[in-house]
Amino acid sequence: MRTRLGLFVKQKILDNPNWKVPFQAIPLWVASALTGLVAVAYEHLFKLFEHGGRFILEEIPYLIFLTTPLFFIASWALTERFAPNAKGSGIPQLMAAVDLAGTSQNKLVSHLLSMRIALVKIGSSLTLLLGGGAIGREGPTLQISGSIFEMVYRVIPSNWPRVSERIMLITGGASGLAAAFNTPLGGIVYVIEELTKSHIARFRTAVFSAVIIAGMVAQNFLGAYLYLGYPHLVSFPFWMIWAVILIAFISGYAGAGFTALLLKLGSFRRQFQSRIGQVGFILILGLLFATMVFFAGPMGIGSGKSTINFILFEDTMTPWYLFPVRFLGALLSFSVGGAGGIFATSLSSGAALGSWLVGTLNLPLAHHNLLVLVSMIAFLTGVTRTPFTASILVLEMTDRHSAIFYFLLAGIIGNLAAGFILSKSFYEIQKDVYLNALKTLSKKKPIKK
């Protein structure tokens, strides 16, 4: 009886073209809802541990010379011991998994996306935050969401209609970004611009529905918030367009410079073959970071969201040292080898640079906020090389639609400037590193199918 019922369901429903698409979407909806829930929990934990790092700095300043190096080493040790591919941002790992999905080497995807990796990712990033690390949660959220979507894909019954694994992972990336920033359009645009070169028509329903569900779940707990609120903007005169172009070029160039330094520091760290050498290098990074924030103050630690809000909403001059502190803080924190993103920290570095440029160039303060947002977009573009994603993200974070053309221009100019330093984004370069390492591993020790 059960066999007949199963056969009837398969023939009349699962194999029916009219029913196939809705049934294909169910796993996507389940994974999207889980992503929204995990993203909300991760954000609350991230804030809690970020406040913990800030508390140590503000209440017992001298203690950071002990806690920062220790927590930096602990963050690295978690990834090194339990999940080496959980280190760093997480976006290159997701990109590499998308490239592997649907190929003869798709078994390698589990080396990049799994629940073990997701848990280590969360633990390592939170530990780094306790040390005051200048990291973000957005990149990690994408790898975590990709792991959730991969887990759901693996448990789908063999006779159930399903989308391809590649589409599943791409959709996971869109859901993760939308839930992390509350920017659904940004998630969609990022998928088109970064995670795939395919035409969106092939998977638009999957992406749209996943973004909607993940975003709705996150909003149910966090409310319909704006990531950066409503910065005040005034009408921008066309004759000042040169200021937008100049600041965007400088910021995009600086973003690519940040990427180049990250790559060089990472290459230098890998020269230490022994664990003692690695620990010694991280200890030096931790002490340098602790010294810097001891004198600069709490604006140098964490994701930098509070720093951006200070720059956009406080009528106080931005300290001249804020940009070097945010720039170097993210550089030192990320180079530890633990888990942590550079999305939010790139935005805060761009904000600090833009504010400093407005003052240095003696530009009208009435246009301070617009030019700061322009700098944020261009700096992020210099790192990610995704100008339209950066523009749409900042647009959705601030709801300043009147400035959309300046935002888009900033992204294009920033991308042009970045090309003078590197031909690829940091994520693309790191993606190739992961792919090459996994392919080498599969040759030495074939992955069982």
Side-chain angles (χ1 to χ4, degrees):
M1 182 68 180
R2 182 179 297 177
T3 304
R4 287 182 181 178
L5 179 60
L7 184 61
F8 175 82
V9 170
K10 185 176 187 305
Q11 290 177 342
K12 299 297 182 181
I13 298 180
L14 298 183
D15 290 342
N16 188 326
N18 295 326
W19 286 92
K20 190 172 183 179
V21 172
F23 275 91
Q24 282 180 326
I26 289 175
L28 295 169
W29 296 340
V30 171
S32 300
L34 290 174
T35 293
L37 290 171
V38 172
V40 169
Y42 185 37
E43 179 176 2
H44 284 305
L45 287 172
F46 201 91
K47 287 180 179 178
L48 179 64
F49 280 74
E50 187 174 7
H51 289 158
R54 183 183 294 268
F55 176 83
I56 294 172
L57 175 61
E58 292 179 338
E59 299 298 325
I60 324 171
Y62 288 99
L63 190 60
I64 64 169
F65 291 100
L66 174 64
T67 57
T68 295
L70 286 178
F71 284 126
F72 276 24
I73 292 170
S75 176
W76 164 80
L78 278 172
T79 59
E80 184 73 12
R81 172 66 178 84
F82 298 106
N85 288 332
K87 64 184 178 182
S89 162
I91 293 177
Q93 293 93 314
L94 178 58
M95 293 169 63
V98 168
D99 280 6
L100 292 169
T103 70
S104 60
Q105 295 179 311
N106 69 319
K107 295 296 181 181
L108 294 170
V109 170
S110 62
H111 289 250
L112 298 165
L113 302 173
S114 69
M115 295 317 297
R116 177 191 180 95
I117 288 174
L119 291 174
V120 173
K121 192 89 180 176
I122 293 172
S124 178
S125 61
L126 296 180
T127 303
L128 196 57
L129 278 174
L130 274 180
I135 58 170
R137 62 180 170 82
E138 292 72 29
T141 301
L142 264 72
Q143 189 178 16
I144 293 166
S145 65
S147 296
I148 292 172
F149 273 73
E150 174 67 9
M151 176 195 71
V152 171
Y153 181 81
R154 295 294 181 186
V155 300
I156 298 174
S158 58
N159 62 344
W160 190 275
R162 63 171 74 189
V163 297
S164 70
E165 184 180 20
R166 186 166 184 263
I167 291 175
M168 195 81 176
L169 298 183
I170 289 169
T171 308
S175 298
L177 189 58
F181 275 132
N182 190 33
T183 52
L185 292 179
I188 293 169
V189 174
Y190 186 69
V191 164
I192 302 170
E193 196 171 26
E194 181 70 275
L195 293 180
T196 181
K197 304 300 181 183
S198 303
H199 196 279
I200 192 173
R202 293 176 53 194
F203 50 88
R204 61 187 176 193
T205 301
V207 174
F208 289 177
S209 61
V211 166
I212 290 168
I213 292 173
M216 287 176 63
V217 170
Q219 281 194 2
N220 184 59
F221 292 93
L222 301 175
Y225 69 98
L226 285 177
Y227 189 83
L228 294 177
Y230 296 91
H232 178 68
L233 302 183
V234 299
S235 180
F236 193 77
F238 184 76
W239 67 268
M240 279 192 65
I241 196 71
W242 66 269
V244 171
I245 295 172
L246 178 61
I247 288 179
F249 189 91
I250 295 172
S251 300
Y253 194 87
F258 173 77
T259 295
L261 289 173
L262 271 183
L263 294 170
K264 288 180 179 179
L265 261 180
S267 177
F268 181 75
R269 182 171 61 85
R270 285 190 292 272
Q271 292 180 2
F272 298 96
Q273 299 295 325
S274 67
R275 292 197 172 184
I276 294 178
Q278 292 265 359
V279 169
F281 180 68
I282 297 168
L283 179 64
I284 292 172
L285 293 180
L287 289 173
L288 287 174
F289 184 87
T291 301
M292 183 178 65
V293 298
F294 178 81
F295 291 103
M299 282 198 292
I301 68 176
S303 67
K305 182 179 177 180
S306 59
T307 301
I308 299 173
N309 284 326
F310 171 82
I311 292 170
L312 290 174
F313 297 104
E314 298 293 333
D315 294 328
T316 306
M317 290 298 295
T318 304
W320 66 267
Y321 55 82
L322 187 56
F323 171 65
V325 166
R326 290 304 312 178
F327 186 97
L328 294 173
L331 187 66
L332 295 172
S333 301
F334 195 85
S335 299
V336 164
I342 53 175
F343 235 89
T345 56
S346 294
L347 289 173
S348 62
S349 294
L353 176 58
S355 185
W356 178 78
L357 286 172
V358 169
T360 301
L361 298 173
N362 199 27
L363 297 170
L365 291 180
H367 305 303
H368 171 269
N369 284 354
L370 175 64
L371 295 174
V372 164
L373 297 176
V374 161
S375 183
M376 289 166 59
I377 292 167
F379 192 98
L380 180 60
T381 298
V383 175
T384 65
R385 304 303 292 277
T386 53
F388 300 112
T389 299
S391 304
I392 296 302
L393 280 176
V394 173
L395 173 68
E396 289 191 282
M397 288 176 185
T398 58
D399 197 21
R400 302 290 80 180
H401 294 81
S402 61
I404 180 61
F405 296 113
Y406 300 110
F407 290 176
L408 292 171
L409 178 62
I412 293 171
I413 298 298
N415 193 46
L416 175 67
F420 286 94
I421 295 181
L422 292 171
S423 59
K424 291 183 177 181
S425 73
F426 174 75
Y427 297 143
E428 289 175 307
I429 295 170
Q430 290 297 100
K431 179 196 76 172
D432 292 339
V433 170
Y434 284 108
L435 285 174
N436 292 333
L438 286 175
K439 289 174 181 177
T440 301
L441 174 67
S442 66
K443 289 178 181 178
K444 291 181 179 179
K445 184 179 179 182
I447 306 297
K448 294 181 180 180
K449 292 187 177 181

